[in-house]
């Protein structure tokens, strides 16, 4: 079977106006590949970084890092999936903004029947990110305290619930009282409106001057130094995104001055590069969702044809929870 599929591509780096919807031939899966027909696609900040050129790509290139749908065909050597299986993924290379595609099979995961395609498309990149933040980056245990920026966003709302399910105290930040209320509803112990409060000082107040064990910061430039100031001695700073821009010209000696702090800059795609690790991580995420410990909140839906407006909305920080692109 070989046909055409609507696909979003960029031919140059730039703003949302560079996104183009074209027809592309799908083709057949080769060894180690699958052909998947999408029901929904996820939207993430990494898509904006790739579009803008912050994370440069060889052009032209399709965009999108996660989706869910039905396996139509499998190539030689693929044994964990079969035609007809429901599946979801977050995976390189980019190309998920489409009706159907052929792609490497290793990071495509069989989706439990109890999880809808929309939930699957919305949860993979963000949910697997939370999994590695809490289980693969630094040891965390019940009773530890975490500061989590953008706590009402897609990753944040999953993190609030994940922390609560494991007895970890999560202090969030968000840009409005309404977003703070949303984070609290999803399990945050406290949430600070950074638009009206000195959030770093408030973190110190909430921890009796001690600071937190771990900061999880996807904002980047605007929060970086305040995040370091929020840590207790020997604390861990996890910088996993650049929503406000990249951190430049950082003096490593500051970590010593502020209490022998630790700093890491992980990426999801390093953690899921190994097939077995990816499937194990997804199994834990699926288990949290099926058990009801984590509920996937989809607050924004855009037709695939409106992908440019979806990017504008995300970059303007006008979203809460998850955002998906719908098909059909």
């Amino acid at each position: 079977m070989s046909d055409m599929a609507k696909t979003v591509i960029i031919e140059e780096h730039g703003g949302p106006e560079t996104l183009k919807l074209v027809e592309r031939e799908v083709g057949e899966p080769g060894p180690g590949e699958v052909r998947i027909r999408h029901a929904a696609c996820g939207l993430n900040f990494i898509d904006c970084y790739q579009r803008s050129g912050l994370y440069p790509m060889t052009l032209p290139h399709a965009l999108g890092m996660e989706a869910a749908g039905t396996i139509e065909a499998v190539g030689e050597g693929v044994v964990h999936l079969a035609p007809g299986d429901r599946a979801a993924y977050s995976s390189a290379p980019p190309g998920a903004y489409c009706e159907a595609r052929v792609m490497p099979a290793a990071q495509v995961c069989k989706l439990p029947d109890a999880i809808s395609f929309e939930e699957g498309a919305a949860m993979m990149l963000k949910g697997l990110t939370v999994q590695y933040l809490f289980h693969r980056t630094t040891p965390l245990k019940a009773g530890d305290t975490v500061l989590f920026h953008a706590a009402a966003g897609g990753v944040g709302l999953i993190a609030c619930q994940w922390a609560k399910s494991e007895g970890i105290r999560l202090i969030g930040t968000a840009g409005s009282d309404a977003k703070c209320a949303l984070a609290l509803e999803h399990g945050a112990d406290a949430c600070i409106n950074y638009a009206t409060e000195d959030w770093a000082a408030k973190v110190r107040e909430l921890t009796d001057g001690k600071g937190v064990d771990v900061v999880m910061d996807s904002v980047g430039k605007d929060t970086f130094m305040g995040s370091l100031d929020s840590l207790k001695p020997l604390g861990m700073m996890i910088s996993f995104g650049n929503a406000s821009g990249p951190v430049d010209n950082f003096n490593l000696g500051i970590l010593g001055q502020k209490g022998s702090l630790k700093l890491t800059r992980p990426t999801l795609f390093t953690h899921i590069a190994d097939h077995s690790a990816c499937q194990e991580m997804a199994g834990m995420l699926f288990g949290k969702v099926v058990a009801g410990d984590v509920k996937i909140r989809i607050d924004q839906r855009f037709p695939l044809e409106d992908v440019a407006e979806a990017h504008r909305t995300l970059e303007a920080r006008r979203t809460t929870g998850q955002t998906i692109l719908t098909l059909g």
Side-chain angles (χ1 to χ4, degrees):
M1 180 179 181
S2 180
D3 60 10
M4 307 298 288
K6 291 179 181 176
T7 305
V8 175
I9 68 166
I10 55 169
E11 296 175 329
E12 60 182 340
H13 291 299
E17 71 280 356
T18 61
L19 297 164
K20 293 184 176 181
L21 188 63
V22 300
E23 293 274 346
R24 276 190 163 184
E25 187 172 356
V26 180
E28 296 297 324
E33 294 181 330
V34 295
R35 174 187 170 116
I36 183 169
R37 173 119 349 228
H38 292 152
C41 314
L43 186 75
N44 298 282
F45 261 107
I46 191 174
D47 308 340
C48 301
Y49 301 157
Q50 291 169 340
R51 188 211 70 228
S52 70
L54 179 63
Y55 295 173
M57 297 190 299
T58 301
L59 301 178
H61 210 297
L63 283 188
M65 302 299 293
E66 69 176 342
T70 303
I71 301 297
E72 292 187 328
V74 301
E76 181 183 351
V78 177
V79 296
H80 70 292
L81 295 165
D85 281 349
R86 304 171 75 253
Y89 66 87
S90 175
S91 177
Y97 290 178
C98 65
E99 293 176 318
R101 69 185 294 200
V102 168
M103 63 179 295
Q107 281 70 45
V108 181
C109 305
K110 192 170 181 179
L111 188 67
D113 290 341
I115 300 176
S116 72
F117 284 131
E118 287 198 349
E119 290 171 324
M123 69 187 275
M124 293 301 288
L125 190 145
K126 302 175 188 72
L128 291 173
T129 295
V130 172
Q131 197 280 341
Y132 86 68
L133 289 173
F134 280 83
H135 289 274
R136 294 172 60 90
T137 308
T138 191
L140 278 167
K141 63 185 183 302
D144 286 345
T145 300
V146 167
L147 172 62
F148 201 101
H149 291 297
V155 180
L157 291 185
I158 294 175
C160 289
Q161 297 172 82
W162 199 291
K164 185 174 183 179
S165 76
E166 298 187 351
I168 294 167
R169 182 189 185 197
L170 186 145
I171 299 171
T173 69
S176 70
D177 289 343
K179 286 188 174 184
C180 285
L182 192 59
L184 293 170
E185 288 173 19
H186 284 75
D189 183 79
C191 193
I192 306 163
N193 183 345
Y194 62 73
T196 59
E197 293 193 71
D198 180 341
W199 58 266
K202 186 67 175 178
V203 169
R204 286 286 170 181
E205 178 185 328
L206 290 168
T207 57
D208 298 323
K210 296 175 183 177
V212 301
D213 298 284
V214 177
V215 177
M216 300 177 180
D217 188 338
S218 64
V219 177
K221 179 176 64 176
D222 289 353
T223 53
F224 186 76
M225 293 307 297
S227 291
L228 294 180
D229 289 336
S230 300
L231 284 166
K232 64 175 56 173
L234 305 178
M236 168 66 85
M237 165 74 165
I238 307 173
S239 176
F240 68 102
N242 313 283
S244 66
V247 177
D248 294 321
N249 302 318
F250 175 64
N251 176 6
L252 202 60
I254 290 173
L255 299 178
Q257 297 167 17
K258 291 184 179 293
S260 300
L261 305 179
K262 292 165 280 189
L263 170 65
T264 186
R265 178 53 171 96
T267 71
L268 170 63
F269 300 103
T270 306
H271 283 280
I272 65 172
D274 177 77
H275 168 71
S276 296
C278 177
Q279 301 297 319
E280 180 181 342
M281 291 167 68
M284 179 178 284
L285 171 61
F286 294 155
K288 292 275 190 186
V289 175
V290 171
D293 291 333
V294 171
K295 294 180 172 60
I296 304 303
R297 178 182 175 126
I298 302 171
D299 287 343
Q300 296 81 212
R301 292 174 173 82
F302 294 87
L304 185 65
E305 292 80 3
D306 292 343
V307 62
E309 183 59 25
H311 272 230
R312 292 186 188 99
T313 302
L314 181 64
E315 290 181 301
R317 302 190 191 182
R318 297 198 303 266
T319 64
T320 55
Q322 323 299 327
T323 304
I324 62 169
L325 301 173
T326 58
L327 298 158

